[in-house]
Amino acid sequence: MKFENPTQHAHNAWEKASQLAPPPKPPQLQFYMPAMPPMGLIRAVDMRWWRYQRRRLFRRHILPLLAYDEQVLQDIGHCREDILWANQLPLKVDAIQALKARQKKCHVPQR
């Protein structure tokens, strides 16, 4: 999709990167079958896969925004340094949520 307005493209990229919801928690079973893997292991594998997919979405949709100038990034509420900082976070930290939290912290009105 080709957008004429870079700000609109940036907003759409942010929405695409934010759309992946975390996997649901596995159900608590009343019994345990010996051939069944532990539910904690299943949850750990699910979360690791989800984190990998989130980081892939971040790199696919958010990192290309660095090609825009500072004004467009400012229009969507981020700066180049914040996006580069989020890209360097470890995989177990959700870069999109960390970027949102940093944006909220930076834009709190000071008295």
Side-chain angles (χ1 to χ4, degrees):
M1 241 184 233
K2 197 82 165 145
F3 294 101
E4 297 298 323
N5 185 356
T7 306
Q8 180 185 4
H9 180 259
H11 281 291
N12 288 340
W14 183 261
E15 289 303 316
K16 284 181 184 177
S18 299
Q19 69 188 358
L20 186 64
K25 289 187 177 183
Q28 293 293 330
L29 301 177
Q30 295 177 358
F31 62 92
Y32 179 77
M33 304 265 310
M36 242 169 86
M39 296 309 274
L41 176 65
I42 292 171
R43 176 72 176 165
V45 169
D46 273 351
M47 288 305 293
R48 186 164 294 220
W49 178 248
W50 179 76
R51 287 183 190 116
Y52 170 75
Q53 286 180 316
R54 282 284 276 202
R55 189 54 63 100
R56 223 176 84 223
L57 281 173
F58 177 81
R59 289 187 178 138
R60 180 184 295 155
H61 295 294
I62 304 300
L63 285 183
L65 297 179
L66 293 174
Y68 293 123
D69 62 349
E70 291 295 328
Q71 184 61 38
V72 173
L73 291 175
Q74 210 170 35
D75 287 346
I76 63 169
H78 297 290
C79 66
R80 191 172 309 280
E81 292 79 26
D82 289 347
I83 294 174
L84 291 172
W85 168 81
N87 190 39
Q88 298 299 320
L89 290 174
L91 186 59
K92 62 183 169 184
V93 176
D94 187 12
I96 296 170
Q97 291 299 325
L99 210 56
K100 285 181 184 178
R102 188 167 175 154
Q103 179 187 17
K104 285 181 184 178
K105 190 173 93 172
C106 289
H107 293 300
V108 171
Q110 296 180 1
R111 298 179 189 183

